[in-house]
Amino acid sequence: MEFRMTPAGRLLRELAMVERTQAASLFTELGSTGDAAVIRFPGGEVTLQLDGTRGQIVQSLRKRGATVRAPFEGEPDTIPGDPGRHEVWCELLDDLGSSSRHLCHLDPRLTGLEVSRGETTAWILVGNGLRTMVYEVKLDGGEMTAAAAVDIAGAFGEGG
C-alpha cells in the first residue's frame, strides 16, 4: 500500500519542520482556503500554496517581518521524554500532516478546516459540509500526540 499525504497534510508537515527550530512557538492559527492556507503568527499572516516548501515558508514569513530561524532539515530522530508545550505543538502539526489521509476514515467528506493554539491548548476544527466539530489537545500534559487524525475522525463519528 502506498502512503500518500493530502496536499494540506504535506504543508502541515512542512510547517511543523519550520516550527521545530524556533525558540518558541511561532504559528498561532492555520486555516485552509481550498488550494492555499492562511498562516497567522504574532504580528501578521501569510498565505501559502499547499505545495509550499520549508524554505518558501521561512521566506514568506521573513517578508512579513517575522524573525524566523532556518527550518529543520530531514526527519526528527527522537521524541523528548518530557516534552514541553512547544514540542507537543510541533509534534501535533507533524502528526496531523502525516496522518491527514486518515481524517476521512469514517466520513469521506471530513476535512480539517483550521488548527489553532493558545498557551496550553490546541484546537482542530474539522467539518464534513453538514456539521463541524472542534477537537481539543492539551499541550501541557507532558505527552506527545499519536494518530491525532484517527482520534479526531473517531470523535467526529461519535458526534463530537
Side-chain angles (χ1 to χ4, degrees):
M1 178 165 81
E2 182 180 0
F3 173 75
R4 297 187 134 196
M5 269 187 272
T6 66
R10 199 195 62 67
L11 182 62
L12 274 174
R13 284 214 75 229
E14 292 296 290
L15 288 164
M17 296 307 155
V18 171
E19 187 76 277
R20 282 184 192 281
T21 60
Q22 307 312 307
S25 296
L26 176 64
F27 306 120
T28 58
E29 189 175 319
L30 320 162
S32 175
T33 63
D35 62 348
V38 175
I39 312 304
R40 290 185 182 80
F41 59 95
E45 70 179 38
V46 295
T47 300
L48 302 168
Q49 295 304 306
L50 296 183
D51 62 355
T53 64
R54 298 167 200 192
Q56 291 169 332
I57 294 166
V58 167
Q59 185 178 38
S60 294
L61 289 165
R62 287 179 178 161
K63 282 182 182 177
R64 294 297 227 167
T67 302
V68 185
R69 294 179 179 173
F72 189 90
E73 295 298 329
E75 294 295 319
D77 337 296
T78 60
I79 296 174
D82 185 24
R85 292 182 295 233
H86 180 67
E87 289 88 6
V88 175
W89 171 242
C90 293
E91 187 61 25
L92 176 62
L93 294 176
D94 193 354
D95 183 46
L96 286 170
S98 297
S99 60
S100 58
R101 65 187 173 89
H102 294 295
L103 198 55
C104 62
H105 178 68
L106 297 174
D107 182 339
R109 297 169 297 161
L110 185 60
T111 185
L113 303 173
E114 185 177 292
V115 180
S116 58
R117 71 159 290 163
E119 187 66 27
T120 61
T121 306
W123 301 274
I124 299 98
L125 174 66
V126 296
N128 67 358
L130 300 173
R131 68 182 177 98
T132 60
M133 179 193 82
V134 175
Y135 186 84
E136 189 173 286
V137 175
K138 288 293 187 192
L139 300 174
D140 60 353
E143 293 183 21
M144 298 299 260
T145 61
V150 174
D151 295 342
I152 293 167
F156 191 87
E158 293 170 2

